Amino acid sequence: ELLGEAIFEFSLPYMQRALAGEEVVFEQLLRQPDGALMPVEVNYIPQRNGSNIAGFYALARDISDRKRAELDHLTQTLNRRGFDMRLSMACATARRYLRPLTIIFVDLDHFKKVNDIHGHAVGDEVLRTIAQILCDQVRESDIVSRWGGEEFVILAPETPMAEAKRLSERLRMQLEVHQHPGVGQITASFGIAELAADQSDKAFINHADQALYAAKAAGRNRVESFDG
């Protein structure tokens, strides 16, 4: 009962969609009696009475273990597994409702030198700091993930290309001005793509990767977009 009341209180838009006949799955944090927050996955399933919607069933499950498995242990951003799940859901939603969705690849410039000169412990601290800068600068609805090594990816729902370019330039400048203790400046190259209506998830990723390659080929510490 506590679980249901807590979820219903904060999920009116999802309830409205369920009452319109759409099965809805979403995640949210549930505050427990001791004050701790528990991540839950909620499923609203419309209950039909002939051609009418009589109400909906609500199912909720604790996904704490799954959330822990989706985190990159070093930066505490999403890992590839966690990101791939969000990417699939975000692309499906964007295609269905014809909403804008952009993806931003962020690759640190010449990061190998940091590890070679200062050691991996210092390199790890730089990665943690950069992950925090990215998370601090994006919106709550944006998704930051460590793609691998010194590369990050940001998924930005409800964000057209022009807005993603402004966000990327702001992030680029924030990284450029930050001075890492003992290391100094670390810059990054950015590649952006916007999801097309008939595009696969893989093609979407590939276009952002092509834009990132163009940024690095053009001299690094810059933002490039896939406009083809």
Side-chain angles (χ1 to χ4, degrees):
E1 183 177 347
L2 174 62
L3 179 64
E5 289 177 357
I7 290 171
F8 292 158
E9 183 180 354
F10 299 104
S11 57
L12 182 59
Y14 298 110
M15 294 170 64
Q16 292 171 334
R17 287 165 56 184
L19 291 172
E22 179 185 350
E23 183 172 344
V24 183
V25 180
F26 63 98
E27 297 177 5
Q28 74 173 60
L29 294 173
L30 170 67
R31 189 173 299 280
Q32 300 178 85
D34 63 359
L37 295 175
M38 177 177 70
V40 293
E41 182 180 83
V42 187
N43 188 6
Y44 287 168
I45 305 170
Q47 181 183 8
R48 301 182 182 275
N49 184 4
S51 59
N52 298 320
I53 305 297
F56 61 87
Y57 297 105
L59 304 175
R61 64 189 183 94
D62 180 0
I63 55 172
S64 301
D65 290 341
R66 192 185 83 190
K67 286 291 187 182
R68 284 190 287 270
E70 291 175 352
L71 284 182
D72 175 66
H73 74 281
L74 178 63
T75 64
Q76 293 302 295
T77 61
L78 286 176
N79 57 25
R80 285 287 294 273
R81 173 185 172 183
F83 178 80
D84 286 346
M85 292 180 64
R86 278 51 170 202
L87 175 68
S88 178
M89 291 188 291
C91 287
T93 299
R95 293 188 197 99
R96 180 171 184 177
Y97 297 103
L98 302 179
R99 303 302 302 165
L101 176 68
T102 48
I103 190 169
I104 304 167
F105 273 106
V106 185
D107 188 75
L108 305 187
D109 298 329
H110 306 297
F111 185 75
K112 184 176 183 298
K113 291 182 179 179
V114 176
N115 286 330
D116 290 347
I117 296 172
H118 303 281
H120 287 276
V122 172
D124 287 350
E125 186 57 37
V126 170
L127 289 173
R128 280 191 287 266
T129 299
I130 286 175
Q132 189 61 57
I133 292 172
L134 296 177
C135 291
D136 287 345
Q137 292 295 318
V138 302
R139 303 166 304 177
E140 187 175 350
S141 58
D142 296 333
I143 298 166
V144 179
S145 171
R146 186 180 178 196
W147 190 249
E150 66 270 23
E151 193 170 2
F152 295 86
V153 61
I154 301 167
L155 191 63
E158 299 293 331
T159 305
M161 177 64 81
E163 188 176 337
K165 287 180 179 179
R166 290 192 292 271
L167 170 62
S168 297
E169 184 59 28
R170 186 172 75 247
L171 292 171
R172 187 197 66 78
M173 293 175 64
Q174 287 290 327
L175 296 181
E176 183 181 44
V177 300
H178 187 87
Q179 295 294 313
H180 298 268
V183 176
Q185 181 193 62
I186 299 291
T187 63
S189 302
F190 291 73
I192 316 169
E194 183 173 3
L195 181 70
D198 58 348
Q199 192 175 44
S200 69
D201 298 4
K202 183 177 180 180
F204 184 35
I205 291 287
N206 287 341
H207 284 176
D209 197 48
Q210 289 177 45
L212 176 63
Y213 181 82
K216 292 191 286 188
R220 304 176 187 266
N221 190 25
R222 60 186 294 121
V223 175
E224 294 288 346
S225 60
F226 183 89
D227 297 314

